[in-house]
Amino acid sequence: GAPTRIYARMRCMKHLAGLLALSLSLATTACITSPGPGGAPPPVASVDRAKLYTGDWHEIAFRPNWMTEGCVAGITRYTPKEKADEVSVRDSCREKTLDGKEKAVDGTGHILDPGTNAKIRVDYFPFVSRETWVVALAPDYGWFITTTPDFGEINIFTRNPQPGAAMIAELTAKVKAMGYDTGLLVFPPQPAR
């Protein structure tokens, strides 16, 4: 009867309200980063979209957050889409050890500065997105460094999962020269090449 339908509707609305609250909570956590030392350095002048936003990149260093807790061997995989300013993004890692369970999330990346291609926003779920800027890039596209616009987070990516201690030290020095506290970074285990 009518009371049953009303009760069912109320349960459905309560469920939807709960999902909305969860989404907003995730969005707040994903979009607002911890305070950094100031504004991010400017993005690089130009990025070759086909070279950067294609294939696997290994996350050599990052500032931990709730999504990356316990993550090792992180990989960001870019796959070009038909629209020139969009790219499929798959972020994955292993839980705690290189043999741990895989955690993965898929999203759509939107290049925010077509032509320059140094700013990207990735939408993972409704209301959950993350904007990053490419602030340093190897001439041969062997590595790149991204930050969030508020400089609260920074990530170092390389094509090679084992770039070597000298390269890691060089990239960490670049991050430090930007004014970022490299003591906030973690350098998780990576798989063999």
Side-chain angles (χ1 to χ4, degrees), residues 56-59 62 67-68 71-77 89-95 101-106 124 157 190:
D56 290 355
W57 287 96
H58 299 274
E59 191 175 32
F62 61 90
M67 291 192 300
T68 58
C71 272
V72 303
I75 294 175
T76 292
R77 175 173 296 152
V89 180
R90 182 179 193 270
D91 289 322
S92 66
C93 71
R94 296 287 175 174
E95 286 187 15
K101 181 181 174 185
E102 183 183 56
K103 297 195 301 187
V105 63
D106 294 300
Y124 294 101
F157 293 94
Q190 300 293 336

Coordinates of all heavy atoms in Angstrom, one line a residue, residues 56-59 62 67-68 71-77 89-95 101-106 124 157 190:
D56 N 52.9 3.2 -19.7 CA 53.0 3.1 -18.3 C 54.1 4.0 -17.7 O 55.2 4.1 -18.3 CB 53.4 1.7 -17.9 CG 52.2 0.7 -18.1 OD1 51.1 1.1 -18.4 OD2 52.5 -0.5 -17.9
W57 N 53.8 4.6 -16.6 CA 54.8 5.4 -15.8 C 54.8 4.9 -14.4 O 53.8 4.7 -13.8 CB 54.3 6.9 -15.8 CG 54.5 7.6 -17.1 CD1 53.6 7.8 -18.1 CD2 55.7 8.2 -17.6 NE1 54.1 8.6 -19.1 CE2 55.4 8.8 -18.8 CE3 57.0 8.3 -17.1 CZ2 56.4 9.5 -19.6 CZ3 58.0 9.0 -17.8 CH2 57.7 9.6 -19.1
H58 N 56.0 4.7 -13.9 CA 56.2 4.2 -12.6 C 56.4 5.3 -11.6 O 57.2 6.2 -11.8 CB 57.5 3.2 -12.5 CG 57.3 2.1 -13.5 ND1 56.7 0.9 -13.1 CD2 57.7 1.9 -14.8 CE1 56.7 0.1 -14.1 NE2 57.3 0.6 -15.1
E59 N 55.6 5.2 -10.5 CA 55.6 6.3 -9.5 C 56.7 6.0 -8.5 O 56.6 5.2 -7.6 CB 54.3 6.3 -8.8 CG 54.1 7.5 -7.9 CD 52.7 7.6 -7.3 OE1 52.1 6.5 -7.1 OE2 52.2 8.7 -7.1
F62 N 56.3 9.9 -4.0 CA 55.1 10.6 -3.8 C 54.9 11.0 -2.4 O 55.5 10.5 -1.5 CB 53.9 9.8 -4.3 CG 53.6 8.5 -3.6 CD1 52.9 8.5 -2.4 CD2 54.2 7.3 -4.0 CE1 52.6 7.3 -1.7 CE2 54.0 6.1 -3.3 CZ 53.2 6.1 -2.2
M67 N 44.6 7.7 -0.3 CA 44.4 6.8 -1.4 C 45.7 5.9 -1.6 O 45.6 4.8 -2.2 CB 44.1 7.6 -2.7 CG 42.7 8.2 -2.7 SD 42.2 8.8 -4.3 CE 43.4 10.0 -4.7
T68 N 46.8 6.4 -1.2 CA 48.1 5.7 -1.5 C 48.7 5.0 -0.3 O 49.7 4.4 -0.4 CB 49.1 6.7 -2.1 OG1 49.4 7.7 -1.1 CG2 48.7 7.3 -3.4
C71 N 50.7 1.7 -0.4 CA 51.0 1.4 -1.9 C 52.4 1.3 -2.2 O 53.3 2.1 -1.7 CB 50.4 2.5 -2.7 SG 48.7 2.3 -3.2
V72 N 52.8 0.2 -2.9 CA 54.1 0.1 -3.5 C 53.9 -0.2 -5.0 O 52.9 -0.6 -5.4 CB 54.9 -1.0 -2.8 CG1 55.1 -0.8 -1.3 CG2 54.4 -2.4 -3.1
A73 N 55.0 0.0 -5.7 CA 55.0 -0.3 -7.2 C 53.8 0.4 -7.9 O 53.1 -0.3 -8.7 CB 55.0 -1.8 -7.4
G74 N 53.6 1.7 -7.6 CA 52.6 2.4 -8.3 C 52.8 2.6 -9.8 O 53.9 2.9 -10.2
I75 N 51.8 2.5 -10.6 CA 51.9 2.7 -12.0 C 50.7 3.6 -12.5 O 49.5 3.3 -12.1 CB 51.8 1.4 -12.8 CG1 53.0 0.5 -12.5 CG2 51.7 1.6 -14.3 CD1 53.0 -0.8 -13.2
T76 N 51.0 4.6 -13.2 CA 49.9 5.3 -13.9 C 50.0 5.0 -15.4 O 51.1 5.1 -16.0 CB 50.1 6.9 -13.8 OG1 49.9 7.2 -12.4 CG2 49.1 7.6 -14.6
R77 N 48.9 4.5 -15.9 CA 48.9 4.1 -17.4 C 47.9 5.0 -18.1 O 46.8 5.2 -17.8 CB 48.3 2.7 -17.5 CG 48.1 2.2 -19.0 CD 47.7 0.7 -19.0 NE 48.8 -0.1 -18.5 CZ 48.7 -1.3 -18.0 NH1 47.5 -1.8 -17.9 NH2 49.8 -1.9 -17.6
V89 N 43.0 7.1 -17.9 CA 44.0 7.0 -16.9 C 43.7 5.8 -15.9 O 42.5 5.7 -15.5 CB 44.1 8.3 -16.0 CG1 45.1 8.2 -14.9 CG2 44.3 9.5 -16.9
R90 N 44.7 5.0 -15.7 CA 44.5 3.9 -14.7 C 45.6 4.0 -13.8 O 46.8 3.8 -14.1 CB 44.5 2.5 -15.5 CG 44.3 1.3 -14.5 CD 44.3 0.0 -15.3 NE 43.8 -1.1 -14.5 CZ 44.6 -1.8 -13.7 NH1 45.9 -1.6 -13.6 NH2 44.0 -2.8 -13.0
D91 N 45.3 4.2 -12.5 CA 46.3 4.3 -11.4 C 46.2 3.0 -10.6 O 45.1 2.6 -10.2 CB 46.0 5.5 -10.5 CG 46.4 6.8 -11.1 OD1 47.3 6.9 -11.9 OD2 45.6 7.8 -10.9
S92 N 47.3 2.3 -10.5 CA 47.3 1.1 -9.7 C 48.6 1.0 -8.8 O 49.6 1.7 -9.0 CB 47.3 -0.1 -10.7 OG 48.5 -0.2 -11.5
C93 N 48.5 0.1 -7.9 CA 49.6 -0.2 -7.0 C 49.4 -1.6 -6.4 O 48.4 -2.2 -6.6 CB 49.8 0.9 -5.9 SG 48.6 0.9 -4.6
R94 N 50.4 -2.0 -5.7 CA 50.3 -3.3 -4.9 C 50.2 -2.9 -3.4 O 50.9 -2.0 -3.0 CB 51.5 -4.2 -5.2 CG 51.7 -4.6 -6.6 CD 50.7 -5.7 -7.0 NE 50.7 -6.0 -8.4 CZ 50.0 -7.0 -8.9 NH1 49.2 -7.7 -8.1 NH2 50.0 -7.3 -10.2
E95 N 49.4 -3.7 -2.7 CA 49.3 -3.5 -1.3 C 50.5 -4.0 -0.5 O 50.8 -5.2 -0.5 CB 48.0 -4.2 -0.8 CG 46.8 -3.4 -1.2 CD 45.5 -4.0 -0.5 OE1 45.7 -4.8 0.5 OE2 44.4 -3.7 -1.0
K101 N 48.1 -7.6 -3.2 CA 47.0 -7.5 -4.0 C 47.0 -6.2 -4.7 O 47.4 -5.1 -4.2 CB 45.7 -7.6 -3.1 CG 44.4 -7.4 -3.8 CD 43.2 -7.5 -2.9 CE 41.9 -7.2 -3.6 NZ 40.8 -7.1 -2.7
E102 N 46.6 -6.2 -6.0 CA 46.5 -5.0 -6.8 C 45.3 -4.1 -6.4 O 44.2 -4.6 -6.2 CB 46.5 -5.3 -8.3 CG 46.5 -4.0 -9.1 CD 46.4 -4.3 -10.6 OE1 45.4 -4.9 -11.0 OE2 47.3 -3.8 -11.4
K103 N 45.6 -2.8 -6.2 CA 44.5 -1.8 -6.0 C 44.6 -0.9 -7.3 O 45.7 -0.5 -7.7 CB 44.8 -1.0 -4.8 CG 44.8 -1.7 -3.5 CD 44.7 -0.8 -2.3 CE 45.7 0.2 -2.1 NZ 45.7 0.9 -0.9
A104 N 43.4 -0.6 -7.9 CA 43.4 0.2 -9.1 C 42.2 1.0 -9.2 O 41.1 0.7 -8.6 CB 43.5 -0.7 -10.3
V105 N 42.3 2.2 -9.8 CA 41.2 3.1 -10.0 C 41.4 3.6 -11.5 O 42.5 3.9 -11.9 CB 41.2 4.2 -9.0 CG1 42.4 5.1 -9.0 CG2 39.9 5.0 -9.1
D106 N 40.2 3.7 -12.2 CA 40.2 4.3 -13.5 C 39.6 5.6 -13.6 O 38.7 5.9 -12.8 CB 39.5 3.3 -14.5 CG 40.2 2.0 -14.6 OD1 41.3 1.9 -15.1 OD2 39.6 0.9 -14.2
Y124 N 37.9 10.7 -11.5 CA 37.9 9.3 -11.1 C 36.4 8.8 -10.9 O 36.0 7.8 -11.3 CB 38.7 9.0 -9.9 CG 40.2 9.2 -10.1 CD1 40.8 10.3 -9.7 CD2 40.9 8.2 -10.8 CE1 42.2 10.5 -9.9 CE2 42.3 8.4 -11.0 CZ 42.9 9.6 -10.5 OH 44.2 9.8 -10.8
F157 N 57.8 10.4 -11.6 CA 57.5 9.3 -12.5 C 58.7 9.0 -13.4 O 59.3 9.9 -13.9 CB 56.3 9.6 -13.3 CG 55.0 9.7 -12.6 CD1 54.5 10.9 -12.2 CD2 54.2 8.5 -12.3 CE1 53.3 11.0 -11.5 CE2 53.0 8.6 -11.6 CZ 52.6 9.9 -11.2
Q190 N 60.0 -1.0 -6.0 CA 59.5 -1.1 -7.4 C 59.9 -2.5 -7.9 O 60.8 -3.1 -7.5 CB 60.3 0.0 -8.2 CG 60.0 1.4 -7.8 CD 58.6 1.9 -8.0 OE1 57.9 1.3 -8.8 NE2 58.1 2.8 -7.2

